[in-house]
Amino acid sequence: INLRQIQLLQHLHGDKDEVVALSDSEELVNHLQKGKLIVVHGADHNLKVNGDRSKSIKQIVEFLAI
């Protein structure tokens, strides 16, 4: 994938993710012209906070409403 071809991307990352380092997500977004990183506080790798994805889904819905 050529990152320069991506027009707009919102990337969600849980700050409790034990699989992918937050710094990796930061690096990805830094290579995009219109990239936005949203850190979901308390979320794991599956973007769940205490087994619930509603906090992450809210972020996605807000992004799609642009």
Side-chain angles (χ1 to χ4, degrees):
I1 295 175
N2 182 347
L3 295 179
R4 294 185 196 338
Q5 293 178 336
I6 297 174
Q7 295 297 313
L8 179 64
L9 178 114
Q10 174 176 286
H11 182 70
L12 276 69
H13 191 104
D15 67 352
K16 301 292 183 192
D17 189 337
E18 296 180 354
V19 178
V20 177
L22 179 57
S23 60
D24 290 343
S25 291
E26 292 168 336
E27 183 177 346
L28 169 69
V29 172
N30 285 335
H31 284 87
L32 302 172
Q33 291 180 15
K34 293 183 181 178
K36 181 176 181 182
L37 175 63
I38 301 293
V39 178
V40 183
H41 299 287
D44 60 15
H45 182 71
N46 294 311
L47 298 173
K48 293 181 180 179
V49 178
N50 297 322
D52 180 25
R53 282 196 180 107
S54 62
K55 194 172 183 180
S56 301
I57 291 171
K58 180 181 178 208
Q59 294 291 334
I60 294 167
V61 169
E62 288 175 3
F63 175 73
L64 294 175
I66 293 176

